[in-house]
Amino acid sequence: MRYLPKSPAEREQMLAEIGVSSIDELFSVIPEEYRLTRDLDVPRQQAESEIIAYFNEEAAKNIIGYASFLGGGAYRHYRPIIIDSLVQRGEFLTSYTPYQAEITQGTLQAIFEFQTMIAELTGMDVANASMYDGSTGAAEAVLMAMRITGRSKAVVARTVHPEYREVLATYLRHRDMATSEVKYEKNGRIDLAELEASVTEETAAVLVQSPNFFGTIEDIPAIAEIAHKKGALLIVSIAEGVSLGIVRPPVEADIVSIEAQSFGVALSYGGPYVGVLATKEKYLRQIPGRLVGQTTDSNGNRGFVLTLSTREQHIRREKATSNICTNQALVALMATIFLTVYGKEGIRELAYHNMAKAAFAAETFKLQSGVKLLFEGAPRFHEFVIDTAEVPALWSQRLLNEKIVGGIELKKWYPELGNATLWCTTEPIKRRDIEAAAKVLAAGLAEG
């Protein structure tokens, strides 16, 4: 909030309007022992030029010019400049919930277009107007499946993002709902035999991620067959939306949960991001969040309205599908602009570029560095897992010395993988970055 200073004369006028003679009299109702009678211990006031100089100096301390191979649910993609130019317009930046359709047609249309694009990408019938992020979206999808089926258990793949699984555990902690995890096979995919043994007539949902946390693409048709055989719903979580440009959409799923951060949303130190739920039309009434629909006015003109709002502020609390989901309309608008700029062919080319770059990086690391490539034998998108003889902390520091941020250490979540790390390549990564990283990894192997 902007600070607006007041002159002494203005303060006197305000006190006179209130009917008190001084600031001390204004605060006389506060016991004396709780009043601050000294100046605050804060830096002196600064001129505008000094403030700008200060922030420039602080900004210079940020690292720049580093190549980053980090992924794991937060992806660095190029953001067209037009995104910020449009979302910073006052009509979008300062608008609130579009309850009054007659004065919020722009916001409503943007949400409607977002929903339409997500439905096309996922192969689902409908998509909501967004969730907080991918993790809460996956958890809400499980609760949605439990409402639909009336069952109280869920089966979750261990290849689902570890932090998504943590959020799900938090959601279910004080509910009478149990989950079980299914391990992965040597190729990085879910163990189908164990999955079949785990799904019972009490299972409400099977939750998988594809591409999964290891970057491997799951066999969705086979998983869907196992889930549906026992009457369970299949939920597919997608942490990397760009993958849908080239990976077959999970049309066999009943609910699809997406983190759409890759669609033009900056990393921003972890948020805000934008989650989405898409589903079959028959489950429409159980989807949390908001849905914008298209209609015509009395003159036959195209218009948009808030069609469905299943939050407790709109309907009876006991009928609400969620009491914390929200509409990330401004962030969803970024995704809408991104998808509009790229178009169908552009998204396909972007996805292919990312996938090909990961294949090149994985092969380069394997041949030039002598590292072990894990989870071979199954298709993957733009992430892959390597295993090194050295502990990651050693080569990670050598990479940082070369202005390269290496992969994510997996031991925290998957101790059985030892020195394994998850690497990601998106379009900002250059060939020279890949070759430089391979050289550093190879140097460590030679020293060992």
Side-chain angles (χ1 to χ4, degrees):
M1 183 178 292
R2 193 184 310 174
Y3 171 66
L4 300 175
K6 299 290 182 287
S7 68
E10 288 173 320
R11 291 178 186 143
E12 291 295 329
Q13 182 181 356
M14 291 168 70
L15 290 170
E17 289 289 336
I18 296 170
V20 295
S21 60
S22 66
I23 293 290
D24 290 337
E25 184 181 349
L26 176 64
F27 295 119
S28 61
V29 294
I30 300 173
E32 191 169 349
E33 63 267 29
Y34 298 120
R35 297 183 215 166
L36 187 66
T37 57
R38 59 170 176 78
D39 290 336
L40 292 173
D41 185 18
V42 296
R44 68 165 180 82
Q45 67 273 24
Q46 292 181 308
E48 181 179 304
S49 58
E50 292 177 300
I51 293 172
I52 293 173
Y54 167 78
F55 280 105
N56 285 335
E57 290 170 7
E58 292 301 306
K61 296 177 183 177
N62 291 330
I63 59 172
I64 56 174
Y66 278 67
S68 175
F69 288 89
L70 297 177
Y75 302 102
R76 192 162 59 105
H77 291 284
Y78 176 73
R79 298 180 68 244
I81 294 173
I82 191 175
I83 293 175
D84 288 337
S85 299
L86 292 176
V87 299
Q88 289 178 11
R89 288 182 60 93
E91 305 96 303
F92 295 120
L93 193 62
T94 62
S95 63
Y96 186 56
T97 302
Y99 292 123
Q100 295 175 272
E102 66 275 14
I103 61 172
T104 56
Q105 283 297 291
T107 297
L108 287 165
Q109 181 173 358
I111 295 172
F112 179 82
E113 302 296 349
F114 172 76
Q115 294 171 176
T116 303
M117 290 176 180
I118 295 297
E120 289 182 355
L121 279 170
T122 59
M124 295 290 104
D125 298 327
V126 291
N128 71 0
S130 72
M131 311 288 292
Y132 280 127
D133 57 21
S135 65
T136 55
E140 292 282 0
V142 171
L143 295 183
M144 178 179 165
M146 290 175 170
R147 290 193 301 271
I148 292 169
T149 62
R151 301 177 180 183
S152 59
K153 293 184 179 179
V155 175
V156 182
R158 198 154 177 263
T159 51
V160 171
H161 196 303
E163 292 172 350
Y164 285 25
R165 287 184 278 130
E166 290 172 7
V167 170
L168 176 60
T170 299
Y171 266 66
L172 302 183
R173 183 171 299 157
H174 299 294
R175 294 172 179 260
D176 187 21
M177 298 175 179
T179 62
S180 60
E181 290 190 355
V182 178
K183 66 177 184 292
Y184 51 87
E185 296 184 296
K186 289 184 178 179
N187 62 3
R189 283 179 161 180
I190 189 173
D191 186 324
L192 293 178
E194 184 179 332
L195 175 64
E196 187 151 22
S198 300
V199 179
T200 69
E201 282 73 13
E202 296 180 324
T203 304
V206 173
L207 171 63
V208 299
Q209 179 181 326
S210 184
N212 64 30
F213 190 64
F214 300 142
T216 302
I217 298 167
E218 297 282 5
D219 185 350
I220 298 301
I223 296 170
E225 184 179 352
I226 292 171
H228 294 156
K229 194 187 305 181
K230 296 291 180 66
L233 301 186
L234 174 61
I235 301 168
V236 176
S237 174
I238 302 174
E240 170 53 295
V242 168
S243 66
L244 288 168
I246 199 167
V247 177
R248 178 179 176 273
V251 294
E252 295 83 7
D254 299 287
I255 307 170
V256 178
S257 170
I258 304 179
E259 170 56 76
Q261 174 267 319
S262 287
F263 297 147
V265 181
L267 290 172
S268 301
Y269 299 96
Y273 289 168
V274 53
V276 199
L277 283 187
T279 188
K280 307 290 188 184
E281 187 174 2
K282 60 184 175 181
Y283 304 132
L284 176 62
R285 289 285 174 183
Q286 288 299 330
I287 198 168
R290 298 185 179 120
L291 222 72
V292 171
Q294 177 179 287
T295 186
T296 54
D297 64 15
S298 57
N299 296 319
N301 298 314
R302 184 189 189 205
F304 303 91
V305 292
L306 197 58
T307 304
L308 185 68
S309 298
T310 54
R311 192 175 171 186
E312 87 291 341
Q313 70 188 72
H314 305 116
I315 60 178
R316 285 184 295 168
R317 183 176 297 274
E318 66 275 11
K319 295 289 186 181
T321 56
S322 173
N323 64 355
I324 67 109
C325 64
T326 192
N327 171 22
Q328 299 282 74
L330 187 68
V331 194
L333 177 60
M334 296 179 189
T336 306
I337 298 168
F338 179 92
L339 291 169
T340 303
V341 169
Y342 274 84
K344 291 182 179 180
E345 291 302 318
I347 291 294
R348 184 180 293 112
E349 289 178 17
L350 176 63
Y352 180 81
H353 182 82
N354 279 228
M355 185 179 68
K357 190 165 283 187
F360 173 76
E363 195 64 21
T364 301
F365 286 3
K366 184 178 178 181
L367 295 178
Q368 296 186 17
S369 307
V371 301
K372 182 181 179 183
L373 185 62
L374 301 185
F375 308 130
E376 293 189 274
R380 57 176 175 261
F381 185 52
H382 66 17
E383 289 177 282
F384 57 92
V385 178
I386 64 171
D387 186 23
T388 54
E390 285 186 307
V391 294
L394 294 178
W395 52 253
S396 179
Q397 185 55 55
R398 290 198 297 270
L399 284 172
L400 287 173
N401 294 339
E402 299 297 325
K403 285 197 164 188
I404 298 172
V405 181
I408 301 170
E409 189 170 354
L410 297 179
K411 194 172 185 178
K412 173 183 176 182
W413 302 294
Y414 303 93
E416 71 276 11
L417 293 181
N419 293 334
T421 47
L422 177 68
W423 293 66
C424 176
T425 56
T426 55
E427 66 276 12
I429 290 291
K430 300 176 176 60
R431 180 180 182 132
R432 66 171 179 266
D433 300 327
I434 295 170
E435 292 172 341
K439 186 177 179 180
V440 172
L441 291 172
L445 182 67
E447 291 174 9

